[in-house]
Amino acid sequence: APQWGERNPEYAVDAELTSETAVTTYNNFYEFGTGKGDPDARGGAFKSTPWTLTVEGEVLRPKTFDLDALLALAPLEERVYRLRCVEGWSMVIPWNGYSLSALLKQVEPTANAKYVEFVTVMQPETMPGLADRIIDWPYVEGLRLDEAMNPLSMLVFGVYGKSLPTSNGAPVRLAVPWKYGFKSGKSIVKIRLVEKQPVTSWVKIAPHEYGFYANVNPEVAHPRWSQATERRIGAGFFAPRVPTLMFNGYADQVASLYSGMDLVRNY
Amino acid sequence: MTRSRVVVFLLCLYPLGFWLAQGFIGGLTANPPEYLTRSSGEWALVGLCLVLAAPPAQRWFGVTWPLRHRRMLGLFTYFYTVLHVLAWALWEQGWSLSAMWVDIVTRLFITVGVVAVVLLTPLAITSTNAWVRRLGRNWRRLHWLVYPAVALSIWHFWLVRAGKNDFADVWVYVVVFAVLLVTRVLAIKNTGAGRRRL
């Protein structure tokens, strides 16, 4: 079993952790179905070993990593991150992993690399949701290269000091805490560095509702609901909603990435 | 109370009982407010379809209890509709009237839902025998509002699902409603049965 690493005090959240049960049983992972309980209930047959992750595209040293190589690539640490879902709920989660930049540096992006595309696995025999064509599978997400290189962008292998369960994106996923949760791809098999902005899955389906940037922003409403507040999962039946923070509370670390950009247009 | 009346009453309490039982065993998911908001809305939609299905159930299958207890079915449907609205008001809007108003005027899916509730409200109020007598022939005319109310409710549900591109259960309601609407219109045209039998 890998060593999951010490908690890094630099990444702390001034709030109680969401229970492990809630974190692992209340998920959006449409490859297993659209119900929040589907990934946990229907994920039992998923094969997360053996696993390989290929990093390719605009890089000098494209490479396919197996899971052991990924786990040995940089020291693991625990970081407590906020997770804000675009649907208006949020959690506080202790992830285990390291900064995505550690992996990207290994493959040496070329000068043409401007964006990073993340592709989720397709296992039709274990992922019943793939039969529904809600998404043009596989699930694709993307970041600008500078966003991906920001130390907050995290490659995650564990949660609560254990290997990721299927529902959370076993065996390797992203956590990009200043963006809505759907930006953090799960069960990633391919990372591609590219020159042009990738056409991500949700931008393809509903570009007016889900933008490429998808930065958490209380001032930019979703067409069907306000994003000014959020419901903290586990807070209790009559707990009031809490205000949503700009960049989900990570403005100090990431606001400079967007200086001069119109965040209403680039939602 | 006849026995069938008691049975229908208990059946109508099923969603409420189910929520309470799930609440006790922690079965309302990690996000009970959202679960209850959605569940109450879907049960209201089920209730509306059952109310509309009452006349054809009798005519085609000889099943008489839905029509005999249609008032109770309708009132329970309104009860679940009100719970749905209260869930939204509490858990989405924190009882803030100004926030509710902004939501109603700026978001089509809320507007559509609110209009449906507004249409259903006079139907619930005029469900008593006294109101049936008082309104006479107009009572039946007024209660035709249930059709636009159901259409709007399904539209509301469609808009809820639109962003997720997930319309499977919306289509079920569309088909059920279309079948019920067409049969009702045909029944009236051919036999006048719909007219005479309310």
Side-chain angles (χ1 to χ4, degrees):
Chain A
Q3 199 63 48
W4 292 109
E6 298 291 312
R7 182 172 294 185
N8 186 336
E10 268 185 61
Y11 303 100
V13 173
D14 188 18
E16 228 175 290
L17 295 181
T18 305
S19 79
E20 188 177 348
T21 310
V23 169
T24 57
T25 61
Y26 190 78
N27 310 90
N28 281 318
F29 197 170
Y30 283 14
E31 282 83 340
F32 295 98
T34 53
K36 294 284 193 297
D38 289 342
D40 179 55
R42 302 164 84 183
F46 183 72
K47 290 194 288 285
S48 61
T49 48
W51 194 268
T52 57
L53 169 59
T54 301
V55 190
E56 59 178 35
E58 291 290 347
V59 296
L60 293 178
R61 300 150 69 89
K63 193 173 170 185
T64 296
F65 299 84
D66 65 22
L67 195 60
D68 286 338
L70 286 174
L71 286 166
L73 193 139
L76 295 172
E77 60 184 28
E78 181 169 274
R79 301 179 183 178
V80 177
Y81 276 178
R82 293 184 197 85
L83 171 81
R84 171 62 155 81
C85 179
V86 70
E87 296 164 348
W89 52 268
S90 64
M91 295 184 177
V92 179
I93 306 176
W95 298 118
N96 304 89
Y98 50 74
S99 290
L100 173 65
S101 60
L103 173 68
L104 296 180
K105 281 173 191 159
Q106 289 260 320
V107 295
E108 297 177 40
T110 69
N112 287 335
K114 301 284 191 306
Y115 292 90
V116 191
E117 184 179 271
F118 304 90
V119 183
T120 294
V121 73
M122 283 174 75
Q123 277 182 20
E125 66 284 7
T126 71
M127 294 173 136
L130 291 177
D132 299 329
R133 303 223 194 100
I134 290 163
I135 287 167
D136 183 10
W137 311 107
Y139 188 78
V140 172
E141 255 312 329
L143 296 170
R144 236 168 41 192
L145 183 61
D146 58 344
E147 295 176 325
M149 294 302 286
N150 186 284
L152 272 178
S153 293
M154 186 179 184
L155 205 58
V156 175
F157 304 90
V159 64
Y160 264 101
K162 297 170 195 157
S163 323
L164 286 173
T166 301
S167 56
N168 290 113
V172 56
R173 64 165 295 161
L174 282 184
V176 188
W178 73 96
K179 291 175 180 283
Y180 293 120
F182 70 89
K183 292 298 291 182
S184 299
K186 293 176 170 174
S187 304
I188 293 170
V189 285
K190 193 171 285 183
I191 296 179
R192 201 179 288 136
L193 286 95
V194 292
E195 193 170 358
K196 297 219 169 80
Q197 182 173 306
V199 182
T200 55
S201 291
W202 281 112
V203 167
K204 221 175 192 177
I205 296 165
H208 52 293
E209 304 208 7
Y210 309 103
F212 175 80
Y213 282 95
N215 291 318
V216 175
N217 188 338
E219 287 152 34
V220 177
H222 182 275
R224 285 177 293 128
W225 54 84
S226 158
Q227 295 288 27
T229 62
E230 63 201 47
R231 181 179 302 127
R232 187 56 60 76
I233 297 298
F237 220 60
F238 295 103
R241 298 171 71 95
V242 295
T244 290
L245 303 170
M246 188 64 202
F247 295 115
N248 205 21
Y250 299 97
D252 288 349
Q253 293 95 317
V254 300
S256 59
L257 292 171
Y258 311 100
S259 55
M261 258 178 79
D262 180 349
L263 294 177
V264 174
R265 187 170 300 170
N266 298 287
Y267 55 93
Chain B
M1 288 232 284
T2 63
R3 199 162 61 176
S4 70
R5 196 170 156 78
V6 174
V7 170
V8 172
F9 188 86
L10 292 175
L11 278 177
C12 288
L13 282 174
Y14 170 78
L16 192 63
F18 180 78
W19 297 331
L20 287 172
Q22 291 295 312
F24 274 110
I25 63 168
L28 297 175
T29 80
N31 193 350
E34 179 165 319
Y35 177 87
L36 291 171
T37 306
R38 284 168 185 261
S39 186
S40 54
E42 289 191 47
W43 278 113
L45 208 44
V46 168
L48 287 169
C49 290
L50 286 176
V51 167
L52 295 191
Q58 175 155 328
R59 206 176 314 123
W60 296 348
F61 306 112
V63 181
T64 59
W65 64 264
L67 199 55
R68 279 189 286 127
H69 303 295
R70 186 164 58 164
R71 167 157 54 192
M72 186 159 65
L73 281 175
L75 284 172
F76 264 108
T77 298
Y78 192 70
F79 168 69
Y80 287 111
T81 303
V82 169
L83 290 183
H84 182 57
V85 172
L86 291 177
W88 166 77
L90 165 62
W91 286 314
E92 300 296 321
Q93 311 300 332
W95 298 125
S96 159
L97 289 176
S98 60
M100 288 181 219
W101 179 247
V102 169
D103 223 20
I104 291 168
V105 297
T106 58
R107 303 206 160 84
L108 180 65
F109 97 104
I110 300 289
T111 315
V112 169
V114 166
V115 173
V117 175
V118 167
L119 292 182
L120 289 173
T121 301
L123 310 195
I125 292 170
T126 59
S127 64
T128 61
N129 288 334
W131 270 107
V132 174
R133 268 196 309 276
R134 200 172 308 159
L135 289 173
R137 292 173 49 139
N138 287 329
W139 188 91
R140 211 182 57 81
R141 289 188 186 136
L142 177 68
H143 280 245
W144 266 99
L145 283 178
V146 73
Y147 284 94
V150 178
L152 289 168
S153 299
I154 294 173
W155 186 16
H156 170 74
F157 193 40
W158 186 87
L159 289 167
V160 169
R161 292 292 168 86
K164 290 281 167 170
N165 213 25
D166 179 19
F167 299 111
D169 12 343
V170 183
W171 278 112
V172 173
Y173 289 102
V174 170
V175 169
V176 167
F177 178 60
V179 167
L180 291 171
L181 189 63
V182 167
T183 56
R184 197 66 190 280
V185 169
L186 288 179
I188 289 164
K189 248 183 159 172
N190 294 342
T191 67
R195 194 160 305 168
R196 259 178 275 118
R197 263 197 231 136
L198 294 185

